[in-house]
Amino acid sequence: MNKPLSRVDRPNSYIGKSLPRPNAKRLLAGRGRFVDDIQLPRMLHAAFARSPYAHARIVSIDVSAARAAPGVRRVVVGSDIAKLCMPWTGTLRHFKDMKSPPQSPLAIDTVVWAGQPVVAVLADSRAQAEDAVELIAINYEERDVVVGIDAALAPGATLVHDALGDNLAFQTTIENGAVATAFNDAAAVVEVDLRFGRHTPVTLEPRTLIADFEPGERALTVHHSTQTPYQFQDIYARHFGLDESRVRVIAPDIGGSFGMKLHVYPEDMAVVALSIIAERPVKYVADRGESFLNDIHLRDHRVRAKLALTQDGRFAGMRVQDDTAIGAFSAYPRTSAVEGNQVVRLMGAPYQLTNYRADLRVIFQNLPQTSQYRGVGHPIACAATERLVDLAAKKLGLDPFEIRRRNYVTDEMYPHTTATGYRFERLSLDQCLSKLHALMDYPALRAEQAQLREQGIHRGIGIATYVEITNPSPAFYGVGGAHISAQDGCVLKVTPSGDVQCAISVTEQGQGTETIIGQIVADQLGVDRERVRVLTGDTETTPHGGATWACRGAGIGGETALQATRKLRSNILEIAGAILQSRPDTLELADGKLIERETGTVRMNLGELAALVYFRSDTLPPDLKADLTVAQHFAPKGFPFAFTNGIHGSLVEVDVETGFIKLLKHWVVEDCGRIINPMLVDEQIRGGVVQGLGAALFEECLYNDAGQLMNGSMADYLVPMAGEIPDIVIAHVETPTLDTELGAKGCGEAGTSAASGAVLNAVNDALGPLQVQISQIPMTPQRILRALGTVQ
Amino acid sequence: MTRPIAIMLTINAEPVTAMVESRLSLADFLRHQLRLTGTHVGCETGSCGACLVMQDGRVIHGCLTLAVQADGSAIQTIEGLSESGAIADLQAAFHERNALQCGFCTPGVLMTAQELLQLEGVPSREEIRDALSGNYCRCTGYQAIVDSIETTAQRRAVGEAEQPA
Ligand code: FES
Ligand code: FES
């Protein structure tokens, strides 16, 4: 275990405290600054003419009427922009033989999904730009469309990209141990064939950006609703041939991202190109319809898997086939192979399992791109694994808690390497399981369930264990050639009055990044947290880093801040020693004051020290290094990932007449290592759980065979609303990672990872006595009734 | 192009005269013409509640209302409610309980909450969840929002009871 970081009796011990977010007050007063709130001088507005077809050849484009429309300043087609922007390709080297064609901002000869932008209009207002889009005449020659996974893989299938020869973007096989033998010798085998509905993030603030190109200096400033400004700085510089030092990306307040706003979208690149062409600022705000068509989609998977069992209820082997459809292009720069890759690597991970084989196929189709969103593969792997585990329990007559306990990786096995090569430093699977059992009052729930069944009420109880990848090292993207940082940077400076400014590369989308960083700095330095100001989200004023993705804000950003603060503290004590003629190790910083370590006697304020350093350097010893600004970078070096773990419980009631599922309660026990702010962790988990509940019951982008989205509005695409969501009970186990001083791991995805799996198991538990099963999410009333045989 | 139309109304208790296009929504009028950017736009179809404002004391959708339809009325936006101190207790409860993450839904949620809290009595959690049925929040999972509204309702009830009759 790490040493306790703070003494609770100290005045500034903030680590581990539930403190509110200083930056939330602005948002509560309606004083947030989101990208669409920014208006720049001479700013133009962009709108796009989009392909109505999922697959077609562009025969001709007539923009003459649009050019003449009121307020229109420019109308631009694909070939105009292609000259300015180097195309991008969504492949990475570590996905061997992966393919995806180069992509341009606007379609040039063919369109490959419905909604693909073809022509851009710039006008004085968004309304005028949209009016002009209506006047653009594009002739298309329709081509055959491929949507379904089986259709895309069939011999002689319609091809999304002729040049690629087939629709397979990537495939891989993972094999460990003796799988065939395990299945031959198995006492029993259970299997699943699960379908996961393609859905989409629906951040409340849509994708928005303003590109502002200054031709004199060839400088580009982009106000961008993104979680990864540094990644976009690199991309804009490289793809537009600009000096990186003159590209500035600012991410102000962001209205939700969850992974959605870190991918490159054609409109982003088009807007930058348009600003270069027009030499004026250009704003683009996706409207909700455009968001449904072009925000990344995710989780379009079919998982077939089998689990071999021994007589005594142990897992002998697992076989997995994951087929995932990713749309027409692999996303850039992170690719669309990561989700599938994580599914096949995470299946069965919490359990003792050596005999394992998984095959993954990543498939093109004429739909929008899918890519990483909160949880990336974890919810699929979790639901499929945990479904198998429940089926195994049923087959062997074991309780779901008991079968898990029998098969978990146990405490004495750490550090543990899974069948797929993931390494666990230390998990707390058993502890979480026991804690959930007590938290739910499981025996009472089972008794109540049995009693209600007699009255014809169908309640179900489901649990789902997860492990989660956090604090990723370069193994994730860097090794594949992506310019995506796994390290973070922090610059700390003491102002003349003794305040502290912290510029850090992790970013804020409301999860509380700035708050926890402020807590760490104030705690480790020994100052009031009110006196620490944290700055994020601007490539020009903060050091380069990975920013926020894959659960790294607390674990990596927090450690960076901690190390920077210790450096600054040691500088301060050194300076204080010189000024006060004391040995630095006899001094201490507490509550913004330099005190004697032994007696607590106050010697001077930090502000007095800073004022001497800044204004009276003549009074300091000539050889004293009086650095009150420090910089620190940190990258994880030990385990490639800091795995977290936990378990969810779900209680549902299924109305067998209507097919409606009522969520009655949801429990989470999780272990994200050292907790910096319990309230913020709990709220991250709750928000994540609800996104998983959406996937379980409501959310799906419904496409027809022609590749047309049938429910592209918030009236038709269902998201979880307050009335449908139960209260969520959360408990923690803390197993800090020893790879860092701070010991924190990530918690942002823990909620989403197992929520849908727990509900899937709960609903099947409710349906069990009726001898039917459901194997598809979202579990809509219609699908429940179909499972019950009530409707076709 | 249609000719702009003149409208006169009060916004956050200040008189405003403006020329607006007939198709301009109230939300866009507030945001882009008056620069009151606290009112947000999430769907433009009346589904998400990000654009809620008060018109003559009742909560309406800024995206479904035209600016010309607001002519002659009194509009309150988040900026007004905030600066007048009318929802200071609600804002404090949201802050303490972290009932917001990205904050994009928050102004609309506060409108709904304030309207609910003006009704008689302390609403149950279920009634609060019900009242929020038109407010989409992707970040919080709603529970902290429900908690904060419940807390404010209880505090206001106690406060009123303590007021001299
Ligand atoms: S923007 Fe008005 S309800 Fe969504
Ligand atoms: S706080 Fe982000 S949508 Fe509600």
Side-chain angles (χ1 to χ4, degrees):
Chain A
M1 284 295 118
N2 312 44
K3 294 186 295 296
L5 281 171
S6 356
R7 273 183 280 126
V8 203
D9 52 338
R10 236 183 30 174
N12 314 111
S13 61
Y14 296 117
I15 294 176
K17 294 234 169 93
S18 286
L19 296 167
R21 289 158 47 209
N23 58 5
K25 283 192 178 161
R26 235 168 10 85
L27 300 166
L28 280 160
R31 288 169 173 270
R33 173 64 59 87
F34 299 90
V35 175
D36 189 37
D37 300 343
I38 301 169
Q39 279 184 12
L40 298 179
R42 302 186 73 222
M43 188 169 79
L44 296 172
H45 298 261
F48 295 90
R50 297 173 183 279
S51 167
Y53 301 111
H55 200 185
R57 197 172 70 81
I58 300 171
V59 179
S60 64
I61 301 177
D62 180 359
V63 299
S64 49
R67 280 216 169 104
V72 171
R73 303 297 164 200
R74 284 273 200 289
V75 181
V76 173
V77 298
S79 52
D80 300 333
I81 284 193
K83 288 183 238 141
L84 287 174
C85 175
M86 185 176 84
W88 60 93
T89 304
T91 57
L92 286 171
R93 282 197 302 268
H94 62 317
F95 297 129
K96 206 171 156 292
D97 298 328
M98 182 173 186
K99 56 193 190 214
S100 183
Q103 205 181 342
S104 305
L106 300 175
I108 297 175
D109 300 316
T110 45
V111 287
V112 285
W113 82 88
Q116 185 171 2
V118 181
V119 182
V121 176
L122 277 187
D124 291 340
S125 73
R126 169 73 185 229
Q128 288 172 325
E130 281 176 6
D131 290 346
V133 163
E134 297 293 314
L135 303 173
I136 295 171
I138 307 173
N139 269 319
Y140 294 94
E141 183 184 289
E142 278 188 75
R143 299 189 53 183
D144 288 342
V145 170
V146 60
V147 171
I149 287 175
D150 292 333
L153 291 175
T158 299
L159 297 183
V160 179
H161 306 284
D162 292 331
L164 297 185
D166 60 26
N167 291 321
L168 209 50
F170 176 64
Q171 59 182 331
T172 191
T173 296
I174 302 169
E175 188 150 17
N176 192 65
V179 187
T181 321
F183 276 88
N184 284 338
D185 300 348
V189 172
V190 287
E191 60 187 288
V192 291
D193 182 346
L194 292 169
R195 211 47 193 100
F196 296 85
R198 163 184 280 255
H199 57 115
T200 187
V202 203
T203 60
L204 189 50
E205 179 207 29
R207 281 185 288 123
T208 311
L209 78 162
I210 301 171
D212 185 5
F213 180 69
E214 202 292 301
E217 276 196 285
R218 287 188 62 72
L220 174 73
T221 303
V222 183
H223 304 265
H224 195 158
S225 179
T226 179
Q227 60 193 89
T228 50
Y230 314 95
Q231 174 200 293
F232 278 100
Q233 178 190 28
D234 162 73
I235 285 171
Y236 293 145
R238 279 190 296 119
H239 288 269
F240 290 96
L242 301 169
D243 292 341
E244 203 168 36
S245 62
R246 288 187 174 76
V247 176
R248 177 181 191 181
V249 179
I250 305 171
D253 290 326
I254 307 301
S257 182
F258 317 111
M260 189 275 277
K261 292 173 180 169
L262 52 66
H263 308 286
V264 168
Y265 292 90
E267 293 94 339
D268 303 344
M269 299 301 241
V271 166
V272 171
L274 289 166
S275 179
I276 293 174
I277 292 171
E279 301 189 344
R280 289 171 68 171
V282 175
K283 179 189 274 188
Y284 170 69
V285 185
D287 68 24
R288 187 52 60 189
E290 293 178 305
S291 302
F292 277 109
L293 288 176
N294 265 14
D295 287 1
I296 52 136
H297 292 178
L298 43 123
R299 316 247 209 272
D300 193 344
H301 289 252
R302 176 182 183 174
V303 179
R304 284 165 288 183
K306 290 182 186 178
L307 181 63
L309 305 163
T310 64
Q311 202 64 56
D312 59 348
R314 305 212 176 251
F315 302 163
M318 188 184 272
R319 278 195 118 107
V320 180
Q321 170 77 50
D322 179 23
D323 292 327
T324 176
I326 59 162
F329 287 99
S330 167
Y332 182 70
R334 290 165 196 254
T335 82
S336 304
V338 173
E339 178 150 279
N341 191 54
Q342 287 195 183
V343 171
V344 294
R345 285 174 198 279
L346 286 163
M347 289 279 305
Y351 300 100
Q352 301 179 35
L353 192 65
T354 41
N355 304 316
Y356 181 84
R357 179 184 164 121
D359 297 279
L360 167 69
R361 291 183 292 188
V362 177
I363 301 152
F364 289 121
Q365 46 174 183
N366 290 113
L367 294 188
Q369 65 188 0
T370 71
S371 199
Q372 284 77 294
Y373 163 76
R374 199 176 204 171
V376 197
H378 291 75
I380 312 276
C382 170
T385 302
E386 295 299 285
R387 195 68 212 107
L388 282 172
V389 172
D390 264 23
L391 288 171
K394 197 162 181 191
K395 187 140 205 162
L396 301 171
L398 290 171
D399 184 84
F401 277 83
E402 175 53 27
I403 193 163
R404 285 173 173 80
R405 198 184 310 280
R406 254 182 229 189
N407 285 283
Y408 277 159
V409 174
T410 54
D411 285 351
E412 65 286 354
M413 291 170 72
Y414 299 110
H416 169 74
T417 304
T418 70
T420 66
Y422 279 142
R423 285 166 61 211
F424 299 157
E425 182 189 4
R426 177 162 294 277
L427 304 179
S428 55
L429 295 162
D430 252 326
Q431 274 170 281
C432 289
L433 186 82
S434 305
K435 205 159 186 170
L436 180 73
H437 196 272
L439 194 69
M440 293 170 82
D441 197 354
Y442 184 69
L445 282 184
R446 283 286 178 211
E448 184 188 43
Q449 177 190 39
Q451 190 198 341
L452 289 170
R453 258 183 201 158
E454 282 167 23
Q455 301 164 30
I457 294 170
H458 299 272
R459 285 217 174 156
I461 302 159
I463 59 175
T465 305
Y466 68 89
V467 297
E468 194 207 325
I469 294 172
T470 78
N471 297 3
S473 72
F476 233 71
Y477 294 113
V479 296
H483 291 195
I484 295 169
S485 184
Q487 65 79 50
D488 276 294
C490 174
V491 171
L492 275 181
K493 105 180 167 204
V494 180
T495 70
S497 67
D499 284 358
V500 179
Q501 288 176 330
C502 169
I504 192 159
S505 59
V506 282
T507 54
E508 170 85 86
Q509 296 87 42
Q511 63 276 72
T513 307
E514 292 178 359
T515 307
I516 61 157
I517 296 296
Q519 285 178 249
I520 293 166
V521 171
D523 182 291
Q524 293 295 295
L525 197 59
V527 298
D528 192 292
R529 77 170 187 128
E530 298 275 325
R531 305 203 65 179
V532 179
R533 167 102 163 124
V534 181
L535 310 163
T536 64
D538 183 342
T539 59
E540 200 136 299
T541 58
T542 57
H544 189 92
T548 303
W549 51 271
C551 284
R552 54 193 306 293
I556 301 177
E559 180 71 8
T560 313
L562 177 137
Q563 292 189 8
T565 311
R566 292 191 174 172
K567 209 186 234 184
L568 178 64
R569 187 172 162 278
S570 127
N571 285 7
I572 291 170
L573 294 181
E574 202 63 45
I575 298 165
I579 294 171
L580 300 169
Q581 316 234 309
S582 308
R583 283 211 339 264
D585 61 0
T586 62
L587 299 169
E588 171 97 88
L589 192 54
D591 212 12
K593 297 178 186 71
L594 288 140
I595 58 170
E596 275 171 17
R597 185 182 284 272
E598 290 295 311
T599 61
T601 312
V602 176
R603 300 292 304 275
M604 74 191 301
N605 285 326
L606 181 56
E608 291 172 66
L609 178 143
L612 281 175
V613 168
Y614 290 128
F615 308 133
R616 292 303 310 272
S617 46
D618 57 316
T619 65
L620 303 178
D623 55 345
L624 179 71
K625 250 173 75 64
D627 290 348
L628 288 181
T629 300
V630 300
Q632 177 75 43
H633 286 266
F634 170 78
K637 292 248 167 55
F639 286 82
F641 309 106
F643 272 89
T644 67
N645 68 281
I647 184 165
H648 288 217
S650 165
L651 177 68
V652 303
E653 195 168 294
V654 180
D655 183 331
V656 294
E657 301 295 318
T658 63
F660 272 96
I661 296 166
K662 190 165 170 52
L663 299 167
L664 297 172
K665 206 156 181 181
H666 199 95
W667 297 263
V668 180
V669 180
E670 72 80 50
D671 183 348
C672 63
R674 170 98 56 213
I675 294 177
I676 299 157
N677 185 321
M679 173 168 72
L680 298 187
V681 166
D682 285 1
E683 294 318 312
Q684 273 301 292
I685 289 170
R686 290 203 170 92
V689 165
V690 174
Q691 291 183 4
L693 298 178
L697 297 187
F698 310 115
E699 298 187 43
E700 186 167 23
C701 301
L702 297 166
Y703 276 88
N704 67 13
D705 290 341
Q708 297 292 334
L709 181 60
M710 312 297 285
N711 60 341
S713 80
M714 287 196 67
D716 298 315
Y717 178 102
L718 301 182
V719 288
M721 300 299 278
E724 292 134 4
I725 297 304
D727 280 344
I728 297 160
V729 182
I730 300 170
H732 304 276
V733 173
E734 275 189 74
T735 311
T737 170
L738 301 183
D739 268 356
T740 63
E741 294 281 335
L742 186 62
K745 310 178 198 174
C747 73
E749 300 172 279
T752 312
S753 292
S756 53
V759 179
L760 181 67
N761 274 344
V763 171
N764 276 300
D765 183 53
L767 296 178
L770 304 166
Q771 314 304 332
V772 298
Q773 272 199 57
I774 182 154
S775 303
Q776 183 170 17
I777 63 168
M779 293 173 277
T780 59
Q782 195 189 21
R783 286 182 184 146
I784 294 287
L785 293 180
R786 226 183 273 149
L788 287 164
T790 326
V791 299
Q792 287 283 299
Chain B
M1 273 267 273
T2 51
R3 217 175 267 286
I5 299 163
I7 55 171
M8 285 174 71
L9 65 172
T10 52
I11 294 183
N12 300 329
E14 289 173 4
V16 171
T17 313
M19 301 295 289
V20 296
E21 270 193 70
S22 55
R23 65 174 169 179
L24 186 70
S25 75
L26 176 60
D28 284 347
F29 170 62
L30 293 168
R31 287 181 51 74
H32 300 310
Q33 220 158 310
L34 302 184
R35 313 290 295 117
L36 289 164
T37 53
T39 302
H40 296 152
V41 173
C43 71
E44 296 175 280
T45 53
S47 308
C48 76
C51 64
L52 298 179
V53 294
M54 282 193 184
Q55 181 178 33
D56 300 325
R58 286 195 40 240
V59 171
I60 59 155
H61 285 103
C63 72
L64 297 181
T65 310
L66 293 170
V68 292
Q69 291 174 300
D71 188 28
S73 67
I75 302 291
Q76 283 275 350
T77 69
I78 181 66
E79 289 89 348
L81 283 188
S82 189
E83 283 157 25
S84 70
I87 56 167
D89 55 347
L90 194 55
Q91 288 165 316
F94 270 61
H95 186 240
E96 286 157 27
R97 179 62 188 84
N98 200 49
L100 68 157
Q101 288 180 29
C102 77
F104 202 79
C105 68
T106 311
V109 169
L110 291 171
M111 290 286 157
T112 300
Q114 176 67 353
E115 189 177 51
L116 175 71
L117 291 172
Q118 282 167 353
L119 303 175
E120 276 298 295
V122 175
S124 67
R125 289 181 76 80
E126 208 159 307
E127 284 166 340
I128 296 171
R129 285 189 179 271
D130 222 47
L132 289 168
S133 66
N135 289 92
Y136 171 56
C137 174
R138 187 50 131 182
C139 304
T140 62
Y142 303 106
Q143 189 168 332
I145 295 176
V146 176
D147 291 348
S148 309
I149 298 174
E150 189 180 35
T151 304
T152 310
Q154 284 159 354
R155 285 182 189 159
R156 283 193 190 177
V158 173
E160 269 153 33
E162 283 168 1
Q163 297 279 315

